[in-house]
Amino acid sequence: MSTLEIRDLHVAVEDKQILRGVDLTVRAGETHAIMGPNGSGKSTLAYAIAGHPKYTITGGSVLLDGEDLLEMSVDERARAGLFLAMQYPVEVPGISVSNFLRSAVTSVRGEAPKLREFAKDLKAGMDALSIDPAFAQRNLNEGFSGGEKKRHEILQLELLKPKIAVLDETDSGLDVDALRVVSEGINRFRGTGDTGVLLITHYTRILRYVKPDFVHVFAGGRIVEEGGPELAEKLEAEGYAAYTKDAA
Amino acid sequence: MGLNEKPLSTLHEKSSFNLEDFDVPSGREESWRFTPLSRLKGLHKGTAAAGHITVTVDAAPEVTVETVGRDDARLGQSFAPADRVSAQAWNSFEKATVITVPREAVASKPTVVTLTGSGEGAAFGHLLIKVEPMAEAVIVLEHVGSAVYADNVEFVVGDGATLKVISLQDWNDDAVHVSQHHAQIAKDATFKSFVVTLGGDLVRLSPSVTYTAPGGDADLSGVYFVDAGQHLEHRLLVDHSQPTCKSNVDYRGALQGQDAHAVWIGDVIIRVEAEGTDTYELNRNLILTDGARADSVPNLEILTGEVAGAGHASASGRLDDEHLFYLQARGIPYDEAKRLVIRGFLGQLIEKIELDELRERVFAKVEAELAR
Ligand SMILES: Nc1ncnc2c1ncn2[C@@H]1O[C@H](COP(=O)(O)OP(=O)(O)OP(=O)(O)O)[C@@H](O)[C@H]1O
Ligand SMILES: [Mg+2]
């Protein structure tokens, strides 16, 4: 059973302090939602855990099953079982989706999947997320619509089978049908029971499909309140005014 | 006019078959200022010792291949040497290879010309590829081995004909190659050239294009990978002197290592007569390490008010951190992520090679270069 432990994490971007002491533990079988105003540092938390070079850790620790993630390179973290679905997936020219996915699966599993097996898994994964098979031959994220990019992130989640998934606004920009399809993908991933999810969102509508165990309010680079699913409803009704005043 | 001392449109006035019409370059000339003359092994001075290049041709059954002497009247009809080394090659070659694709013939397979260098000493060559009206062919020029080699290659593409050329500079690390490629494009003819330059200590390849009638279409693509110490230079000149012709130039390179040096010059002239010209030229360089340098100079000279399209762009930059991060975040190790991104960058051009087998060969060569 896996555990992601974030302790007193401080992170700066270009000398600007963004995270100011984040404490959070995500265990296998749990789903945590993080909600908070724009600019409060949610994506910064996600990127810092994944190891994006733009973010400088100025204090604290992040452990995955007791191992120090912050000591690892970006790809080592992914191979250790961490996955980040990005708020803005990057377009990479000249690399086809299928080549990319095969390279990623090979790296994470430590051996190349059998070609036929991989083709079958890919097809099943794409079907389940209503992704047109033609996407396999397209360049990675290039010219994908916002919603198509998000589906493609969840396809990767299902193929790579990480221990802990951080989903940064995977629900933003999805139409009603896509939201359902993507939520089902996340639920299949959660369904095994031995994976943990950290879901960053602005909306309760995804939380109706993907029920969180815990809801955290993020403001001013920290978690300022924690509660159960009912907290999300309250936030949607009342907004963040109470917390942003606190943080300021 | 860019950095040229004189307008591009007057450059051809200097062309000549006489060696004496060209001074030995000093390096101060616009056309030689990027080239490290000391590494030309005397090619520009006429002082190089005699060496040898072996030319073999594996031809499609529809085409004829001849080895001819200097006096063959067909040679030198489409161009005149534009610089000292080209003139030296013209005056020094002993035998020329002439490949003819007869009228209306469609070559059933690529014709592969292999030029193999065998060590020290300068060799000079001449190649004429003549595609007669309405004919179609694919020609592969493959340069291998060690050589000090200067040559002129003429592509004469007849009315309504199509010629696709792939030129692979896959030399050993010590080779020096200075080459003029000239395409003369007739009415409604299509010329597609794909240049791949990977090997050699110094390669300077100058592809040029002229049109003899309206409706011609030239597509010039190139990829190069420059390692430490290599100087790979491509100098393109497209001279639009006929109405309603097209040209598209797209060269991409990656550079890696101390003193890896790429030079790309893209000269395009649209003369007064060339109304309705449609042209675009692009050069992009990916600089992978410190110590590598790319000089990229597009020059577009427009002398008519009636163009259908004319543009140029040049960009040199580093690998994008965001690309690498995305791939690494999916578990792909840094070195492999880098390889995938470079392969993607060059691959977008290589994808244009229509014949599967040739495209895969070029991919394989680039992969091998990346794995080094
Ligand atoms: N490169 C940068 N330079 C300066 N400031 C930055 C940089 N990147 C992020 N920031 C700042 O860090 C703060 C946190 O940004 P972050 O993207 O983490 O917010 P977020 O909570 O994810 O917001 P949203 O809900 O809009 O996605 C913002 O004020 C942002 O402007
Ligand atoms: Mg964000």
Side-chain angles (χ1 to χ4, degrees):
Chain A
M1 296 301 256
S2 295
T3 308
L4 178 73
E5 275 182 87
I6 303 165
R7 289 285 160 269
D8 197 28
L9 189 64
H10 287 70
V11 173
V13 183
E14 289 171 5
D15 296 332
K16 186 176 160 204
Q17 197 66 40
I18 309 289
L19 298 191
R20 303 159 188 278
V22 178
D23 285 287
L24 182 63
T25 301
V26 180
R27 293 186 182 80
E30 296 175 353
T31 297
H32 294 247
I34 290 188
M35 305 181 81
N38 294 135
S40 58
K42 305 180 299 296
S43 291
T44 301
L45 174 65
Y47 277 125
I49 297 171
H52 193 292
K54 214 170 69 181
Y55 300 86
T56 312
I57 311 292
T58 52
S61 65
V62 182
L63 305 179
L64 178 59
D65 296 339
E67 296 213 51
D68 187 353
L69 276 188
L70 301 180
E71 285 296 308
M72 300 182 195
S73 65
V74 174
D75 48 290
E76 283 167 349
R77 296 178 201 204
R79 293 198 298 276
L82 180 76
F83 181 88
L84 166 62
M86 292 180 209
Q87 184 174 358
Y88 303 108
V90 183
E91 304 195 0
V92 192
I95 301 179
S96 75
V97 166
S98 74
N99 271 349
F100 159 71
L101 290 175
R102 207 167 54 228
S103 296
V105 167
T106 302
S107 301
V108 166
R109 291 188 197 161
E111 60 174 1
K114 290 209 176 61
L115 226 51
R116 275 181 59 187
E117 221 166 275
F118 175 74
K120 215 179 84 204
D121 288 354
L122 180 56
K123 167 122 189 16
M126 292 176 94
D127 280 352
L129 290 162
S130 307
I131 298 173
D132 183 336
F135 273 72
Q137 299 318 315
R138 284 180 57 176
N139 284 337
L140 186 49
N141 290 324
E142 206 175 55
F144 289 21
S145 76
E148 287 163 352
K149 284 180 182 164
K150 297 303 177 71
R151 278 186 222 214
H152 185 242
E153 294 289 287
I154 299 306
L155 173 64
Q156 296 172 49
L157 171 72
E158 290 200 78
L159 285 173
L160 296 177
K161 303 187 184 0
K163 296 173 181 162
I164 302 285
V166 180
L167 310 176
D168 190 0
E169 293 201 29
T170 299
D171 57 328
S172 293
L174 295 182
D175 65 36
V176 187
D177 295 328
L179 180 68
R180 185 178 42 76
V181 157
V182 158
S183 300
E184 285 167 4
I186 299 170
N187 285 334
R188 281 192 294 275
F189 169 71
R190 295 200 302 164
T192 60
D194 50 13
T195 56
V197 174
L198 182 57
L199 188 90
I200 298 168
T201 183
H202 285 293
Y203 308 103
T204 50
R205 55 175 202 161
I206 189 171
L207 302 180
R208 294 193 193 112
Y209 294 103
V210 183
K211 290 259 179 326
D213 304 296
F214 306 94
V215 174
H216 310 267
V217 182
F218 214 80
R222 297 166 52 232
I223 290 172
V224 292
E225 185 166 3
E226 300 178 295
E230 71 291 342
L231 180 55
E233 305 290 343
K234 182 178 157 231
L235 290 172
E236 184 144 281
E238 297 173 12
Y240 299 112
Y243 306 107
T244 43
K245 241 182 279 144
D246 277 7
Chain B
M1 223 184 292
L3 295 165
N4 284 282
E5 303 136 2
K6 297 179 82 181
L8 297 176
S9 46
T10 63
L11 283 180
H12 71 289
E13 289 166 9
K14 292 188 217 157
S15 297
S16 168
F17 289 98
N18 293 323
L19 189 58
E20 304 77 53
D21 289 343
F22 297 94
D23 292 333
V24 170
S26 67
R28 284 186 299 275
E29 302 79 3
E30 178 58 35
S31 64
W32 288 103
R33 69 187 182 102
F34 291 111
T35 314
L37 299 175
S38 63
R39 282 156 63 186
L40 280 175
K41 300 204 170 150
L43 274 181
H44 62 305
K45 295 195 270 197
T47 55
H52 186 65
I53 270 261
T54 307
V55 181
T56 56
V57 184
D58 176 14
E62 297 80 6
V63 314
T64 62
V65 181
E66 300 162 77
T67 303
V68 303
R70 297 185 46 81
D71 54 351
D72 193 290
R74 293 170 294 180
L75 307 180
Q77 296 297 308
S78 78
F79 89 116
D83 67 43
R84 167 89 189 191
V85 178
S86 173
Q88 180 79 57
W90 173 260
N91 284 283
S92 305
F93 78 88
E94 286 163 11
K95 297 276 182 218
T97 304
V98 178
I99 296 174
T100 309
V101 190
R103 193 181 179 90
E104 292 179 18
V106 177
S108 55
K109 65 164 200 171
T111 292
V112 181
V113 183
T114 307
L115 300 103
T116 309
S118 49
E120 289 291 302
F124 300 95
H126 196 94
L127 200 60
L128 167 62
I129 318 273
K130 211 169 152 56
V131 186
E132 294 185 348
M134 310 308 291
E136 288 178 27
V138 176
I139 305 279
V140 180
L141 306 180
E142 186 154 12
H143 303 87
V144 294
S146 294
V148 179
Y149 185 51
D151 66 345
N152 292 293
V153 181
E154 298 178 76
F155 302 109
V156 178
V157 194
D159 289 352
T162 299
L163 173 61
K164 296 173 188 169
V165 176
I166 297 183
S167 185
L168 301 165
Q169 286 64 246
D170 201 12
W171 299 107
N172 290 352
D173 287 344
D174 58 353
V176 175
H177 184 201
V178 180
S179 185
Q180 173 73 43
H181 280 193
H182 182 73
Q184 186 189 66
I185 301 175
K187 188 171 170 26
D188 299 331
T190 301
F191 175 68
K192 290 191 177 186
S193 140
F194 202 102
V195 163
V196 181
T197 305
L198 303 172
D201 174 61
L202 188 164
V203 174
R204 174 178 151 123
L205 181 60
S206 307
S208 58
V209 172
T210 55
Y211 302 84
T212 60
D217 187 354
D219 187 281
L220 309 172
S221 306
V223 298
Y224 45 89
F225 195 101
V226 196
D227 285 313
Q230 276 187 307
H231 176 95
L232 304 182
E233 177 167 351
H234 298 91
R235 311 179 63 89
L236 290 103
L237 170 62
V238 181
D239 189 345
H240 282 278
S241 59
Q242 294 286 334
T244 63
C245 290
K246 286 194 228 171
S247 63
N248 182 54
V249 177
D250 191 346
Y251 269 62
R252 292 186 181 194
L255 296 82
Q256 169 166 283
Q258 192 58 40
D259 298 322
H261 190 195
V263 177
W264 181 86
I265 310 292
D267 290 339
V268 175
I269 310 161
I270 307 175
R271 293 179 191 275
V272 177
E273 318 82 273
E275 292 186 353
T277 292
D278 192 351
T279 178
Y280 193 78
E281 53 167 346
L282 172 66
N283 175 229
R284 291 178 62 193
N285 292 292
L286 205 48
I287 298 175
L288 302 172
T289 64
D290 290 338
R293 196 177 101 209
D295 289 297
S296 178
V297 188
N299 294 310
L300 181 57
E301 188 170 302
I302 306 178
L303 304 172
T304 174
E306 297 293 317
V307 293
H312 63 80
S314 158
S316 299
R318 296 277 182 166
L319 278 173
D320 189 330
D321 278 347
E322 298 295 333
H323 292 164
L324 294 175
F325 173 72
Y326 190 81
L327 298 183
Q328 283 186 272
R330 299 309 179 236
I332 300 173
Y334 176 79
D335 283 342
E336 193 190 337
K338 197 171 126 182
R339 255 197 319 272
L340 283 171
V341 174
I342 301 166
R343 188 191 186 281
F345 170 71
L346 300 176
Q348 282 179 304
L349 261 189
I350 299 172
E351 289 293 344
K352 286 186 12 185
I353 300 175
E354 289 156 27
L355 283 173
D356 292 351
E357 189 196 300
L358 286 175
R359 186 179 57 248
E360 290 315 314
R361 268 197 64 201
V362 170
F363 262 125
K365 285 203 186 294
V366 170
E367 299 272 7
E369 189 71 31
L370 291 178
R372 271 159 54 128

